[in-house]
């Protein structure tokens, strides 16, 4: 059975970096056959265009907080909703 790795990315006002970050992750994991991956981006009520950018990226799970909860709460939410045996956390 192939194990799952969850990659959790907390996002707050990251419109300049989030697309490149996710594309870099996708590029890095695309040829890894030993594991399945899920990318979970938790938008912490960003005030820039992060929400719109995330909503247009295919192949990821996006969670939008309805109010700003902070970095730690966003991480916890992403971890709680992950399905992986292992969890990798990275910033945008």
């Amino acid at each position: 059975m192939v194990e799952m790795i969850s990659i959790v990315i907390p996002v707050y006002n990251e419109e300049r970096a989030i697309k490149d970050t996710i594309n870099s992750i996708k590029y890095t994991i695309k040829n890894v056959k030993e594991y399945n991956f899920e990318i979970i981006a938790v938008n912490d009520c960003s005030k820039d265009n992060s929400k719109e950018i995330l909503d247009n990226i295919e192949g990821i799970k996006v969670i939008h907080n309805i109010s700003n909860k902070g970095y730690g709460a966003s991480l916890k939410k992403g971890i709680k909703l992950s399905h992986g045996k292992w969890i990798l956390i990275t910033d945008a």
Side-chain angles (χ1 to χ4, degrees):
M1 175 180 226
V2 177
E3 298 291 344
M4 170 82 73
I5 296 176
S6 299
I7 302 168
V8 178
I9 309 168
V11 178
Y12 182 71
N13 293 340
E14 296 288 351
E15 69 181 3
R16 296 165 84 192
I18 191 60
K19 189 172 182 180
D20 287 340
T21 298
I22 292 172
N23 286 339
S24 293
I25 292 168
K26 286 180 172 182
Y27 178 80
T28 301
I29 65 177
K30 73 178 180 180
N31 293 317
V32 177
K33 306 291 186 230
E34 298 89 333
Y35 301 98
N36 286 326
F37 293 87
E38 68 176 347
I39 299 171
I40 303 169
V42 183
N43 177 30
D44 196 22
C45 204
S46 293
K47 296 178 182 177
D48 63 1
N49 290 319
S50 295
K51 178 186 184 308
E52 292 77 13
I53 293 167
L54 289 169
D55 286 342
N56 287 298
I57 299 175
E58 293 184 22
I60 66 170
K61 181 188 295 185
V62 181
I63 300 159
H64 297 291
N65 290 340
I66 57 173
S67 63
N68 185 273
K69 303 289 184 190
Y71 183 82
S74 295
L75 284 177
K76 288 178 187 178
K77 190 173 210 177
I79 291 167
K80 186 176 183 179
L81 296 173
S82 67
H83 295 99
K85 181 174 181 178
W86 294 284
I87 298 171
L88 181 123
I89 298 167
T90 188
D91 291 337

